[in-house]
Amino acid sequence: MPGLIDTHVHLNEPGRVEWEGFLTGTMAAAAGGITAVVDMPLNSRPTITTKEHLENKIKASKGKIFIDVGFWGGLVPEYAHNATVLEDLLDAGALGLKSFMCPSGINDFPATTAKDIQASLPVLAKYGRPILVHQEVVDPPADPAHLMQGEPVSNARSYQRYLNSRPISWETEAVRQLMEVAKDTRSGGVADGAHVHVVHLSDATNTLSIIKEAKAEGSSVTVETCAHYLAFAAEDIPEGATQYKCAPPIRDSRNRELLWKALLDGEIDMITSDHSPSTIDLKLLEEGDFLKAWGGISGIQFSLPATWTHGSARGMSIEQMSNWWSAAPAKLANLPRKGTLEFGKDADIVVWDPEASFVIDGHYPIYFKNKVTAYMGHKYSGKVITTFVRGRQVFEEGLHSPKINILLV
């Protein structure tokens, strides 16, 4: 089928190559049947908020990538109202912009307000590009460590405590604000031509309802969820298992089923990995403190089998999976040569066996740099056999191409 396109990954180079890097990140992607990724502006150092930073990042990727790689630029308050900086960033090759509505955890990537995002939309409209938004606001403002007052500190190993520290209301309020801003993207609006994309939706109730309403009213809006929200459930996460920590958090099994229903009903547009690795020490695996551990799940290599295993059990077809993982992401990132197998398009192909099953354990070959993942210990079906990028074989049965692909989307 068409190679997967993952529009939400953190490769972290330059500046944090001990977390990941172009070499290991794209090796893992190729082994997972992913033929193109779009790299987020963080957690590399510096974050990609200017033309110069993007040019340095592109240089850092040369000779290190096995698949096609594109880049999102970053939107921060300092430049949100500066059309010249944003235009220079887009002219340099950024496929769109990304912002956070809450603290990102990275000092040089501060949170934007809805007004900051709104200010960027006319520039994005000029280029026909999207803005991707992390949809949480701290509402009410509070230190997550103190939200569960009266609980002992030792309970920091409890996943439920972490889940309660980032309630659904944060996600819902952020999307409410964002959909107000997205009204500018309607036909004839001041930002007609721009597009608002909600990343890693974890809540399939009120938050999704607000997005559906905005779509119905004509706003240019799409939404993604992530493979880990579709594979895992809060009540199954063991105490201290910080490899499952991400933001927004993995919610309960009832919500997981609602996410699947929304996908199958066409209400969620696509799936991504949100591959967000760190060094092993930052995950605090021995301490198991969910409040202090770095949040982020490494999953770029396992998105295809995880989606297939859980989706096929719920009636998902291969054609639906291909739309969520290939056609829709290609449209979001404006990659007209990718996403489907058609004459004249790039021959980005993954060959895989839906019936071959395997367990991800300590003996399974994992290609991303730090071998910590929520998928460890789980059994999946859907083994990638070989991957082609633009007609060139880059992976086959545990072996990568000896020549590193240097093409950028």
Side-chain angles (χ1 to χ4, degrees):
M1 72 178 198
L4 278 64
I5 300 172
D6 194 343
T7 57
H8 195 155
V9 303
H10 299 266
L11 297 179
N12 303 330
E13 187 172 356
R16 288 188 173 88
V17 292
E18 69 276 14
W19 291 24
E20 192 60 277
F22 288 112
L23 188 67
T24 52
T26 60
M27 285 181 72
I34 294 170
T35 53
V37 299
V38 188
D39 188 25
M40 285 294 175
L42 71 167
N43 304 310
S44 56
R45 188 163 44 199
T47 52
I48 312 307
T49 56
T50 68
K51 170 186 175 182
E52 294 73 22
H53 293 168
L54 177 56
E55 290 173 342
N56 288 336
K57 191 174 184 71
I58 292 172
K59 289 177 184 177
S61 73
K62 296 295 185 181
K64 299 178 182 177
I65 58 178
F66 285 85
I67 63 171
D68 281 330
V69 177
F71 304 97
W72 301 119
L75 183 74
V76 291
E78 181 179 0
Y79 301 126
H81 302 262
N82 189 326
T84 299
V85 171
L86 299 182
E87 289 180 2
D88 286 348
L89 183 55
L90 294 169
D91 285 336
L95 297 175
L97 300 176
K98 164 70 183 294
S99 75
F100 270 67
M101 295 182 75
C102 64
S104 70
I106 302 295
N107 290 335
D108 64 340
F109 204 81
T112 54
T113 65
K115 289 185 177 180
D116 293 330
I117 294 168
Q118 187 171 32
S120 74
L121 291 179
V123 175
L124 290 163
K126 178 180 177 181
Y127 287 79
R129 306 279 175 82
I131 183 163
L132 290 73
V133 183
H134 181 121
Q135 76 296 1
E136 287 181 295
V137 293
V138 183
D139 178 48
D143 178 353
H146 301 301
L147 285 178
M148 300 287 287
Q149 293 183 3
E151 292 198 33
V153 175
S154 61
N155 204 41
R157 289 177 56 84
S158 164
Y159 181 76
Q160 188 63 44
R161 182 177 182 184
Y162 172 64
L163 180 61
N164 291 342
S165 78
R166 296 187 88 103
I168 286 175
S169 62
W170 288 17
E171 203 169 348
T172 303
E173 175 58 20
V175 165
R176 185 194 66 76
Q177 295 179 22
L178 189 59
M179 293 304 102
E180 281 296 313
V181 166
K183 291 179 180 178
D184 289 353
T185 68
R186 295 177 185 176
S187 179
V190 295
D192 184 359
H195 182 78
V196 175
H197 180 73
V198 179
V199 299
H200 51 41
L201 181 78
S202 75
D203 170 39
T205 57
N206 292 341
T207 308
L208 180 58
S209 294
I210 296 171
I211 296 170
K212 288 163 56 180
E213 183 178 345
K215 287 182 176 182
E217 292 175 351
S219 297
S220 184
V221 174
T222 48
V223 57
E224 72 185 50
T225 191
C226 296
H228 45 267
Y229 298 130
L230 300 168
F232 306 120
E235 54 265 41
D236 299 326
I237 296 176
E239 184 176 278
T242 55
Q243 63 268 31
Y244 291 90
K245 180 182 178 180
C246 60
I250 295 166
R251 305 199 187 277
D252 61 26
S253 57
R254 174 181 175 275
N255 183 77
R256 178 179 59 186
E257 297 310 311
L258 291 174
L259 286 172
W260 273 113
K261 183 178 186 303
L263 270 167
L264 293 167
D265 289 346
E267 296 168 352
I268 295 175
D269 301 282
M270 52 185 278
I271 310 175
T272 66
S273 72
D274 190 8
H275 178 70
S276 186
S278 70
T279 54
I280 293 174
D281 61 299
L282 291 178
K283 295 301 288 185
L284 302 180
L285 295 175
E286 291 188 13
E287 186 178 346
D289 189 328
F290 277 104
L291 298 180
K292 295 179 181 178
W294 179 261
I297 290 176
S298 296
I300 195 169
Q301 188 175 334
F302 307 121
S303 295
L304 187 157
T307 304
W308 174 248
T309 300
H310 292 278
S312 60
R314 293 166 173 83
M316 177 196 73
S317 68
I318 291 177
E319 290 79 9
Q320 287 174 308
M321 185 170 77
S322 182
N323 180 59
W324 301 330
W325 269 110
S326 302
K331 184 177 180 181
L332 173 70
N334 293 300
L335 303 174
R337 293 181 58 86
K338 298 187 178 295
T340 57
L341 296 180
E342 296 180 56
F343 181 79
K345 291 196 173 187
D346 292 341
D348 297 337
I349 300 168
V350 55
V351 180
W352 59 286
D353 184 347
E355 296 181 359
S357 62
F358 57 94
V359 176
I360 301 170
D361 56 20
H363 302 290
Y364 192 88
I366 295 175
Y367 297 102
F368 47 81
K369 183 164 290 184
N370 293 283
K371 320 300 183 188
V372 175
T373 176
Y375 297 95
M376 185 70 73
H378 295 276
K379 183 178 180 179
Y380 295 103
S381 297
K383 183 179 181 181
V384 173
I385 298 170
T386 186
T387 306
F388 293 85
V389 177
R390 304 195 191 192
R392 177 177 174 181
Q393 190 177 43
V394 296
F395 175 81
E396 182 179 20
E397 295 283 9
L399 298 174
H400 288 80
S401 167
K403 292 185 179 179
I404 298 173
N405 185 24
I406 60 172
L407 299 171
L408 295 176
V409 295

